[in-house]
Amino acid sequence: MKPEVLKIKRRVVNLGPAAFAVCAALLLTGCSKGPDKYELRESAIALYEAGDCSGAIGAFNEALEASDGQVSDLQFDILKYRGECEIRTGDYVAARSTYEALVELDKDSTDSGRSEELLSQLGALDKIKDAADIFRSGNYADAYDAFKPLAQLDGSLTGRAAVYDLALSAEYMGNYEEAYTVLREYTAMYPDDEAALKEMHFCETRR
């Protein structure tokens, strides 16, 4: 079983009368032990919305730790956000692990559409990782060919990542005109992506 899945299994704690009374008193006074998982989630989302995906990943991990022992929609939501941040930072290995945990969490869901989306993203992540490995090797032409069939501005996280990486491949090949065109379409859909905007402006000056 995956480490992420082990973290989110429900725990059963037997409380004696005295401990129960203390817990009840804490609840009545509004006190809580440790950081609040909902506040941590909101802080992580704020970082995500500000474009700080690396910082958001750490914050989402804290929120996940705070919700330890509670298999819930909250944990599913936190993992979904973290998976998106991992995809956007190019850490496809970590993203795959996150999506495997999401699939495990989703086993009891009655929403077949959600399950299909998760499995689709999981399958696409393997292909994007292979394409990204080619890009990192410096073979930008082959990387371009590998990203091309995956690049879709259809709202999917993997499609979005592939479009951005396709543009980078074109840019590194010296094809600034195509890179600019792809990034212009990308930023029209995702205008808050600062990294993409910078790349687009750079390519525009090289056309």
Side-chain angles (χ1 to χ4, degrees):
M1 188 172 286
K2 297 289 179 181
E4 288 290 359
V5 178
L6 290 174
K7 279 185 174 182
I8 53 185
K9 291 296 181 185
R10 190 181 302 278
R11 293 177 180 175
V12 178
V13 181
N14 294 317
L15 297 176
F20 182 83
V22 170
C23 289
L26 286 171
L27 288 172
L28 288 172
T29 56
C31 296
S32 61
K33 184 178 180 181
D36 181 83
K37 52 186 174 291
Y38 296 102
E39 291 179 0
L40 289 170
R41 173 187 173 276
E42 291 304 314
S43 297
I45 289 175
L47 290 169
Y48 159 81
E49 291 178 341
D52 183 4
C53 285
S54 295
I57 289 170
F60 282 123
N61 285 338
E62 290 182 36
L64 196 63
E65 286 290 335
S67 64
D68 187 23
Q70 299 176 12
V71 179
S72 66
D73 286 340
L74 174 65
Q75 288 187 324
F76 190 92
D77 177 69
I78 291 170
L79 285 170
K80 279 278 285 183
Y81 270 112
R82 193 183 74 179
E84 178 170 353
C85 289
E86 288 164 345
I87 290 172
R88 289 179 63 182
T89 56
D91 192 347
Y92 300 118
V93 174
R96 192 182 202 291
S97 178
T98 294
Y99 270 85
E100 286 175 344
L102 283 166
V103 169
E104 194 71 24
L105 270 179
D106 199 55
K107 279 185 175 179
D108 297 327
S109 172
T110 58
D111 186 348
S112 59
R114 188 171 80 170
S115 299
E116 289 172 6
E117 179 200 347
L118 290 172
L119 291 172
S120 174
Q121 298 278 20
L122 191 53
L125 279 169
D126 288 334
K127 295 177 182 178
I128 289 181
K129 180 187 176 299
D130 290 343
D133 288 342
I134 296 171
F135 180 90
R136 280 191 285 269
S137 74
N139 192 340
Y140 305 121
D142 284 352
Y144 178 93
D145 291 339
F147 283 124
K148 185 72 172 177
L150 306 171
Q152 299 287 334
L153 287 175
D154 56 358
S156 66
L157 300 178
T158 47
R160 172 183 178 175
V163 169
Y164 181 75
D165 289 336
L166 178 73
L168 287 185
S169 299
E171 177 187 330
Y172 277 56
M173 290 164 61
N175 192 343
Y176 299 110
E177 182 68 40
E178 181 176 0
Y180 170 75
T181 300
V182 172
L183 288 168
R184 186 178 60 189
E185 294 174 358
Y186 177 99
T187 54
M189 190 165 182
Y190 302 106
D192 296 329
D193 192 325
E194 294 293 334
L197 286 169
K198 288 178 181 177
E199 291 294 336
M200 183 185 72
H201 293 317
F202 172 78
C203 292
E204 186 176 19
T205 63
R206 297 295 189 277
R207 293 165 65 195

